[in-house]
Amino acid sequence: MKFADYTYTRPDYEAIKKEMTALTEELSAATSAEETVKIVQDITRINNLIDTQANLWSIRHSVDMNDEFYNEETKFWNEYSPLFSELATNYYRVVVASPYREALSDILPDTFFMLAENQLETFSSEAIPLFQKENDLVDQYNALISSAKIEFQGQTLNLSQMPPHSQSTDRTTRIAAHNAINGFFEANEAEFDRIYDELVNVRSEIAKTLGFKDYVEYGYKMMNRFDYNRDMVKVYREEILKHVVPAVQKLRDRQAKRLQIEDLKYYDINLNFLDGNAKPQGNPDFIVSQAKEMYHELSPETGEFFDFMVEHDLLDLVAKEGKDSGGYCTYIPDYKSPFIFSNFNGTSADVDVLTHEAGHAFQVYRSRWIQPSEVIWPTNESCEIHSMSMEFITWPWMDRFFNEQVDKYKFSHLSDALLFLPYGVLVDHFQHEVYEHPEMTPAERKATWKRLADLYLPDRDYSDSDFLSHGGFWFRQGHIFASPFYYIDYTLAQVCALQFWKRTQVDHDENAWADYLRICDLGGSKSFLQIVDAANLQSPFKEGALEATISAATDYLDSIDDTNL
């Protein structure tokens, strides 16, 4: 069966409510372990059905945001997803109190109960209208982003199609491309401000309704951060400032020398080499064919996985009009199928996004033994270990994609991993400030972004753009609008992924692949630090771990004469 044949049917909420309510009551009254297990399996089947249909709608909506049918379905999901959450929460309330909880351990891992307990704290029927409004506002942001029609060099392009021009070797073209992108955000500044202002207000009201001090406190619980808190993250941010920001400044100095530019501006930083960035040496079909060979050579497990993805048409990779921006992987429970979405545009990011999302997809493919969809995935910072590490584990095959440009690619790829860390922490710090002070005006939020950007990104010179110099860059960071507090996760995982890079590419550790495969098989059955431990990695929160990891990467980069790449 191909993905196109996967059947979408809008769930009948009233019928599901009736069945779920009856089963939940039966679970509460169950008098044996056997009866409890059977009821939980029946409820799991219903929850997986809901998750399946929600994912089919979401995928098809993001693939073509002009599709009228799925646009109409968006209205349904915005309204009813909180109502489905209410049914799940009622179930969680009963199952966590079950006297037969131990008998459920074969189908419900400990993390399921941890997630369920967090859900009980972060959901209330009273807040359903607020969750519905939040869903609608996020969809408004996505629709605004996908509506971009940028006139550039005789073409009409969307945001995902602009990077080849913003990375041009011709500085005049780069400037024009960035001006065109900025022009879209500046022209829609009032609308972006309105959407985010309403999101901050509604999220703060959600936190207040649920009895939290602020949305930050709510957000940590909502993100299921079992192993760490906001104080630990604050210390981690300080470590980034201490160890990574200076390393990034040195990398920018080297970049300026390579580009023969004394005044490196924001529109220069996406170009790594004077003669151009490394690019895949073929079209999307070439990239997929090379990836298929690569994954067969990497291991029997990855070969089987990638064949499954190709045979079932579970890859939608190329940027096109009306398609949502970005890239993601999701999972369709009833078909036991991962799905990869991206926007190929002819840059090295095409390979990055494929290996990244394939890391997610391979993990969830290996975790299909887990019955409840809630814990097929681990928590977000753990998920990103699988994806970011896969980018580095596949390094030995990068010559297949980049040919003679492979050394340029590897230098840029590892550099970008370090360059990303301060930005990722900035996004997280900004959200802390915003939700700790929800009364801020749009202008004050931009001033906050600018103040923090000056701290974490002193290498960014926005003096040529009034819009960016006043703190407008964050409009394009979709996570800030759609997935609050989902960003520090990438940086924590990057620190772990860099350890896999060192083990596989420098130390040639024969046990590294076994460790990676082990954590893919664990899925969401363990917490973040338990997964880090299972992978034989150092926690990013452990004293010295960040310094050692960054030193290993910078030593490698320092050993390369990048002027000859």
Side-chain angles (χ1 to χ4, degrees):
M1 183 181 285
K2 305 292 188 182
F3 174 72
D5 302 318
Y6 290 10
T7 303
Y8 173 77
T9 304
R10 178 191 288 187
D12 184 336
Y13 170 75
E14 293 300 333
I16 288 173
K17 178 182 179 180
K18 182 178 179 180
E19 187 176 8
M20 280 285 288
T21 300
L23 286 169
T24 300
E25 290 173 354
E26 289 177 25
L27 182 63
S28 181
T31 57
S32 71
E34 293 78 9
E35 183 184 7
T36 298
V37 169
K38 182 182 182 304
I39 295 169
V40 166
Q41 288 175 325
D42 288 342
I43 292 175
T44 297
R45 172 183 53 80
I46 296 170
N47 284 336
N48 286 352
L49 180 148
I50 296 166
D51 197 25
T52 293
Q53 297 308 319
N55 272 288
L56 288 173
W57 152 72
S58 180
I59 292 166
R60 288 171 177 158
H61 178 51
S62 61
V63 165
D64 182 4
M65 297 192 74
N66 295 321
D67 186 305
E68 291 185 8
F69 175 79
Y70 287 106
N71 281 344
E72 284 299 310
E73 290 305 287
T74 299
K75 298 175 184 177
F76 169 81
W77 286 102
N78 285 349
E79 179 179 355
Y80 280 90
S81 58
L83 298 177
F84 286 123
S85 293
E86 181 181 32
L87 299 179
T89 302
N90 293 337
Y91 159 56
Y92 295 152
R93 187 173 293 109
V94 172
V95 77
V96 298
S98 172
Y100 305 104
R101 182 163 157 172
E102 187 175 342
L104 295 168
S105 60
D106 287 344
I107 57 173
L108 301 179
D110 287 344
T111 47
F112 174 88
F113 293 101
M114 296 159 70
L115 291 166
E117 287 163 355
N118 276 1
Q119 173 76 355
L120 293 176
E121 292 187 51
T122 57
F123 184 89
S124 166
S125 299
E126 184 183 355
I128 285 177
L130 300 173
F131 292 124
Q132 291 170 330
K133 183 176 181 180
E134 180 185 22
N135 289 341
D136 181 61
L137 288 165
V138 169
D139 194 61
Q140 288 180 41
Y141 171 80
N142 290 334
L144 183 56
I145 287 289
S146 67
S147 74
K149 290 179 170 54
I150 299 173
E151 300 299 326
F152 192 79
Q153 294 185 342
Q155 297 177 288
T156 301
L157 305 174
N158 61 26
L159 290 169
S160 298
Q161 294 169 319
M162 288 300 293
H165 305 289
S166 64
Q167 298 175 13
S168 172
T169 56
D170 178 65
R171 202 180 197 197
T172 302
T173 301
R174 292 200 302 276
I175 293 171
H178 280 278
N179 285 341
I181 295 168
N182 293 340
F184 167 76
F185 286 98
E186 193 166 7
N188 291 281
E189 181 175 8
E191 186 66 356
F192 282 113
D193 278 334
R194 178 195 65 79
I195 292 171
Y196 193 61
D197 196 58
E198 292 188 32
L199 277 169
V200 171
N201 289 332
V202 75
R203 286 169 178 159
S204 297
E205 185 65 21
I206 287 170
K208 182 180 178 181
T209 300
L210 272 294
F212 289 88
K213 172 187 173 183
D214 56 28
Y215 192 77
V216 180
E217 186 177 55
Y218 175 92
Y220 272 67
K221 187 72 69 171
M222 179 261 297
M223 293 294 291
N224 297 306
R225 291 178 173 164
F226 305 126
D227 300 316
Y228 59 97
N229 55 40
R230 64 206 286 181
D231 291 332
M232 294 168 70
V233 168
K234 182 179 179 181
V235 172
Y236 171 74
R237 291 199 301 253
E238 291 169 353
E239 289 292 294
I240 293 288
L241 283 170
K242 180 179 178 182
H243 297 294
V244 184
V245 172
V248 163
Q249 191 59 59
K250 291 179 181 177
L251 286 172
R252 290 298 189 207
D253 291 342
R254 292 177 71 178
Q255 182 181 12
K257 290 179 181 177
R258 290 196 306 274
L259 299 181
Q260 300 176 15
I261 295 173
E262 291 185 8
D263 57 335
L264 194 73
K265 302 288 189 179
Y266 75 92
Y267 44 74
D268 298 314
I269 62 175
N270 291 333
L271 179 66
N272 288 310
F273 298 95
L274 197 59
D275 61 348
N277 294 349
K279 295 180 181 179
Q281 300 299 293
N283 63 20
D285 290 339
F286 164 81
I287 293 174
V288 172
S289 68
Q290 295 305 308
K292 185 172 182 176
E293 289 183 14
M294 173 181 74
Y295 281 121
H296 273 275
E297 293 175 19
L298 174 57
S299 76
E301 296 87 356
T302 50
E304 172 196 308
F305 147 75
F306 204 76
D307 284 348
F308 179 88
M309 300 296 290
V310 172
E311 289 167 7
H312 294 274
D313 287 345
L314 296 166
L315 305 163
D316 193 294
L317 303 175
V318 181
K320 58 180 180 287
E321 184 180 354
K323 189 175 182 180
D324 201 0
S325 61
Y328 65 76
C329 171
T330 191
Y331 181 71
I332 311 163
D334 286 352
Y335 296 94
K336 294 189 178 299
S337 296
F339 187 92
I340 293 175
F341 170 100
S342 71
N343 279 278
F344 279 11
N345 54 28
T347 69
S348 63
D350 296 352
V351 176
D352 292 341
V353 74
L354 181 60
T355 55
H356 181 100
E357 302 304 342
H360 285 307
F362 179 65
Q363 174 265 300
V364 77
Y365 182 84
R366 294 289 298 181
S367 303
R368 295 184 298 171
W369 62 271
I370 298 173
Q371 292 188 35
S373 59
E374 294 98 326
V375 284
I376 287 179
W377 299 97
T379 50
N380 290 332
E381 70 289 279
S382 303
C383 284
E384 300 304 338
I385 297 176
H386 308 108
S387 56
M388 290 179 157
S389 297
M390 180 64 83
E391 295 181 43
F392 290 123
I393 288 170
T394 54
W395 259 28
W397 289 269
M398 288 300 104
D399 61 320
R400 309 280 185 88
F401 301 94
F402 295 99
N403 296 343
E404 71 278 357
Q405 296 183 18
V406 66
D407 290 334
K408 289 172 67 173
Y409 170 77
K410 289 182 177 179
F411 183 88
S412 297
H413 186 219
L414 184 57
S415 297
D416 288 345
L418 300 185
L419 293 166
F420 166 73
L421 289 172
Y423 175 76
V425 170
L426 161 63
V427 171
D428 182 72
H429 195 164
F430 173 70
Q431 294 183 92
H432 276 76
E433 295 269 353
V434 165
Y435 290 110
E436 286 170 1
H437 304 284
E439 72 284 354
M440 281 197 289
T441 65
E444 287 171 334
R445 291 189 193 112
K446 295 190 191 77
T448 297
W449 176 272
K450 182 183 185 305
R451 171 173 57 82
L452 295 175
D454 289 344
L455 185 67
Y456 291 103
L457 306 176
D459 56 300
R460 303 284 179 95
D461 184 349
Y462 291 125
S463 58
D464 286 2
S465 168
D466 184 67
F467 177 68
L468 295 182
S469 64
H470 285 87
F473 184 90
W474 59 273
F475 282 179
R476 66 191 69 188
Q477 189 59 63
H479 296 74
I480 292 175
F481 288 81
S483 305
F485 290 106
Y486 186 177
Y487 217 72
I488 195 75
D489 313 74
Y490 290 110
T491 76
L492 295 170
Q494 188 70 276
V495 173
C496 295
L498 285 167
Q499 294 178 57
F500 266 121
W501 164 78
K502 184 175 183 293
R503 291 176 63 185
T504 58
Q505 310 308 316
V506 179
D507 300 336
H508 304 291
D509 181 350
E510 295 180 357
N511 297 317
W513 175 250
D515 287 342
Y516 179 82
L517 191 60
R518 181 183 307 113
I519 63 172
C520 288
D521 291 347
L522 286 174
S525 65
K526 300 293 181 184
S527 68
F528 171 56
L529 292 183
Q530 287 174 330
I531 287 173
V532 169
D533 185 61
N536 290 307
L537 303 174
Q538 279 193 311
S539 163
F541 298 113
K542 185 177 180 180
E543 186 177 355
L546 188 59
E547 183 177 6
T549 302
I550 301 305
S551 293
T554 53
D555 286 348
Y556 178 92
L557 292 169
D558 287 345
S559 70
I560 296 172
D561 182 2
D562 52 308
T563 60
N564 288 325
L565 293 179

